[in-house]
Amino acid sequence: MRILYFHQHFSTPSGSTGTRSYEMARALVTAGHEVTMVCGSYLDGNTGLESAFKDGKRSGTVDGIRVIELALEYSNHDSFIKRSSIFFKFAVRSIGIVFKEPCDLVFATSTPLTAGLPGIFARWLKGKRFVFEVRDLWPELPREMGVITNPITLWLMSLLERVSYRSAHACIGLSPGIVDGIRRCSGKDKPITMVPNGCDLELFSKNNIAKRPHGINESDLMAVFTGAHGIANGLNAVLDAAEVLKRQGYNNIKLAFIGDGKLKPQLMECAKQKGLDNCLFLDPVPKTELVGYLKVADVGLMVLANVPAFYYGTSPNKFFDYLSVGLPVINNYPGWLADMINEHKCGVAVSPDDPNAFAEALIYLYKNPEKRKEMGDNAIKLALSDFDRTYLADQFVRFLEKIVSPELKEIK
C-alpha cells in the first residue's frame, strides 16, 4: 500500500517535539507499506533531511520513510496571523502534491485543521481513500480559550471541521473526547477508532543518564515539566505553586521547565521578579536527550489551562513520556488523565486553579519517597499494560489496512 502522509510538524527523535508521526510511519514501513511524509519546517522539529531546498522543497529517505519537506518555516513564537498564513500555504501546496504523487491512501493529521484539505481534495477529485487523524478538536479549543473570537472565522472553521470528518472514509481520535467530537460531526456508521499517544518504551529504556541541571541538588525533589510554554499550557499555575513552596520554606523542591514557547520569556521574567529561585528554565532538547533529564527527575508535571475542552479532548505526549520512565505525575485539571492517575495510583490529581493543593501534592511526594516509588512503579506498569507504542502502532497499521481493503465491512 502506498500512503501519502501529511503532517505539517513532522519530526524524528532528533527534534524536540512529538514523534508520533515518525513512529507510526516507521510501523507502516515495517509492515511493508510505502510511506511518503509531507511536512513543513518546524522550528522545534528535525525532519532528518540536510540537503538544500530547491524550488521551495527538499526530499529524501529517512529511516525508510520518503520525506518531502516544504520550505515553510513555522514557530510557536510567530504571531497568529503569520502562523495562520503558514497553515494555509502548507494546505495549498499539499493539495498540489496530492495531484502529483501516486498513492492508495491519503492520511492527514491535525493540528491545524487545514491539514484535512489535501485529504478532502484527494477523496472527491481523485477518488482516493482518506483517513483523518484528529489531535485536537477545532474550533472548540480556540473558542473556549478565547484565542479566536471572530464569529465568521469560527463558522468557517466549524464548516471545515464538518467537511473534513464527513469526507474522510475513517477517522482516528487521540482521546475519548476527540472521538466523541468526531462522532457528533461525522456521518452515521463512520469507522472511528481511538489510538492515543503512547509510551516509547524502547527509547526510554536506554541507559541515557544526564546530570541534574545546575541549581538542583541530589537531595532536592526535582519536578519537571516538558513541552510548549504557551497559553494552552497554563504554566502560571506552576509559578503560583512555587510561590507557596517558597513562603513555606520548602527550598528543596525544585521545578524544572524544559522546552520553549511564546510565553517562556514572560514566565522567566515573572519568576525573576517574584524571586522564585526554585524555578529553573532549560532550553528544549532532542527527545533522545530528554530521556536523561526525565531519568534524574522525581516527578512529572502534567499542566494545562483550566479549559473544559481539555478535560477529555487532549492526549499530551509529555504524560506518556513520564509514564515511560516511571515518574509519578501531578496533574492539575480534571478529565480522562486525572481519572487514570487516580485509578492506577500513579500520581496525584489536584483541582485546577488551586496553588495550595498543587504545592501540597509536591510536599507530600517530597516527604514520602516510598509513596513516590510506589506511584512510579505503577506508572511504568500502566505504560506497559495500556500504552506501549509498539502495540498502539500495530493497531494503527491494521486500522489503515482495513480502510483500504475492499472487503471492509465493520471496524470496531
Side-chain angles (χ1 to χ4, degrees), residues 127-195:
K128 300 296 183 182
R129 305 295 279 179
F130 168 39
V131 175
F132 192 34
E133 179 179 82
V134 185
R135 299 187 179 211
D136 296 296
L137 288 176
W138 284 57
E140 288 88 336
L141 284 180
R143 180 194 292 122
E144 287 197 21
M145 290 172 59
V147 175
I148 300 175
T149 57
N150 185 291
I152 296 176
T153 301
L154 290 169
W155 180 83
L156 289 171
M157 291 177 69
S158 294
L159 178 62
L160 179 56
E161 176 189 44
R162 188 172 295 273
V163 172
S164 297
Y165 297 166
R166 295 199 172 195
S167 295
H169 291 91
C171 292
I172 296 174
L174 271 66
S175 74
I178 292 173
V179 169
D180 289 342
I182 296 170
R183 284 203 178 100
R184 286 194 299 270
C185 291
S186 61
K188 293 181 179 179
D189 302 321
K190 175 82 64 181
I192 303 169
T193 192
M194 187 177 96
V195 183

Side-chain angles (χ1 to χ4, degrees), residues 264-332:
K264 185 170 184 176
Q266 296 177 33
L267 293 164
M268 293 176 69
E269 182 60 27
C270 180
K272 181 180 178 181
Q273 289 183 1
K274 294 182 177 182
L276 300 178
D277 55 1
N278 51 353
C279 295
L280 291 86
F281 291 87
L282 307 175
D283 292 333
V285 295
K287 195 94 173 213
T288 48
E289 292 181 30
L290 182 64
V291 176
Y293 280 110
L294 293 183
K295 284 191 173 181
V296 296
D298 299 299
V299 178
L301 301 179
M302 186 57 249
V303 182
L304 279 175
N306 185 19
V307 176
F310 284 147
Y311 296 173
Y312 292 90
T314 60
S315 184
N317 282 303
K318 62 182 70 64
F319 174 74
F320 299 100
D321 290 346
Y322 300 153
L323 295 185
S324 298
V325 78
L327 284 181
V329 182
I330 294 179
N331 179 86
N332 80 329

Side-chain angles (χ1 to χ4, degrees), residues 370-387:
E370 72 288 345
K371 289 299 294 183
R372 211 164 63 224
K373 183 180 186 308
E374 180 184 322
M375 290 178 180
D377 290 343
N378 289 338
I380 195 69
K381 287 177 185 176
L382 179 59
L384 288 164
S385 64
D386 289 20
F387 297 108

Side-chain angles (χ1 to χ4, degrees), residues 21-318:
S21 287
Y22 170 82
E23 302 295 343
M24 296 304 177
R26 283 284 305 130
L28 287 164
V29 170
T30 300
H33 304 297
E34 297 178 17
V35 179
T36 296
M37 179 69 63
V38 183
C39 61
S41 297
Y42 186 36
L43 179 65
D44 295 329
N46 185 323
T47 64
L49 299 180
E50 298 179 353
S51 60
F53 286 97
K54 184 177 180 181
D55 297 326
K57 69 178 182 180
R58 60 183 175 183
S59 62
T61 301
V62 178
D63 297 336
I65 308 163
R66 180 176 170 236
V67 178
I68 299 175
E69 180 182 354
L70 304 178
L72 294 169
E73 295 186 358
Y74 176 90
S75 168
N76 289 324
H77 291 275
D78 293 336
S79 68
F80 176 77
I81 297 295
K82 184 175 180 181
R83 284 182 286 127
S84 298
S85 173
I86 295 296
F87 291 156
F88 181 73
K89 289 177 182 177
F90 179 79
V92 170
R93 294 188 62 182
S94 295
I95 291 168
I97 290 173
V98 162
F99 288 94
K100 295 178 183 177
E101 293 288 334
C103 68
D104 302 302
L105 171 73
V106 170
F107 180 87
T109 182
S110 66
T111 53
L113 186 57
T114 47
L117 285 169
I120 294 170
F121 276 77
R123 163 75 190 266
W124 298 115
L125 297 183
K126 293 280 288 180
K128 300 296 183 182
R129 305 295 279 179
F130 168 39
V131 175
F132 192 34
E133 179 179 82
V134 185
R135 299 187 179 211
D136 296 296
L137 288 176
W138 284 57
E140 288 88 336
L141 284 180
R143 180 194 292 122
E144 287 197 21
M145 290 172 59
V147 175
I148 300 175
T149 57
N150 185 291
I152 296 176
T153 301
L154 290 169
W155 180 83
L156 289 171
M157 291 177 69
S158 294
L159 178 62
L160 179 56
E161 176 189 44
R162 188 172 295 273
V163 172
S164 297
Y165 297 166
R166 295 199 172 195
S167 295
H169 291 91
C171 292
I172 296 174
L174 271 66
S175 74
I178 292 173
V179 169
D180 289 342
I182 296 170
R183 284 203 178 100
R184 286 194 299 270
C185 291
S186 61
K188 293 181 179 179
D189 302 321
K190 175 82 64 181
I192 303 169
T193 192
M194 187 177 96
V195 183
N197 280 320
C199 298
D200 191 340
L201 297 168
E202 181 181 355
L203 176 64
F204 282 88
S205 67
K206 292 180 179 177
N207 189 26
N208 187 356
I209 304 296
K211 292 182 180 179
R212 285 195 159 190
H214 179 71
I216 302 181
N217 299 321
E218 290 300 319
S219 58
D220 293 337
L221 178 91
M222 177 178 167
V224 63
F225 172 88
T226 65
H229 295 39
I231 296 173
N233 304 98
L235 292 177
N236 281 312
V238 186
L239 297 189
D240 292 342
E243 271 194 277
V244 176
L245 294 170
K246 194 77 176 168
R247 279 200 308 269
Q248 296 186 13
Y250 285 98
N251 297 316
N252 286 346
I253 299 177
K254 301 293 173 64
L255 308 170
F257 301 77
I258 303 174
D260 201 1
K262 194 169 186 178
L263 297 187
K264 185 170 184 176
Q266 296 177 33
L267 293 164
M268 293 176 69
E269 182 60 27
C270 180
K272 181 180 178 181
Q273 289 183 1
K274 294 182 177 182
L276 300 178
D277 55 1
N278 51 353
C279 295
L280 291 86
F281 291 87
L282 307 175
D283 292 333
V285 295
K287 195 94 173 213
T288 48
E289 292 181 30
L290 182 64
V291 176
Y293 280 110
L294 293 183
K295 284 191 173 181
V296 296
D298 299 299
V299 178
L301 301 179
M302 186 57 249
V303 182
L304 279 175
N306 185 19
V307 176
F310 284 147
Y311 296 173
Y312 292 90
T314 60
S315 184
N317 282 303
K318 62 182 70 64

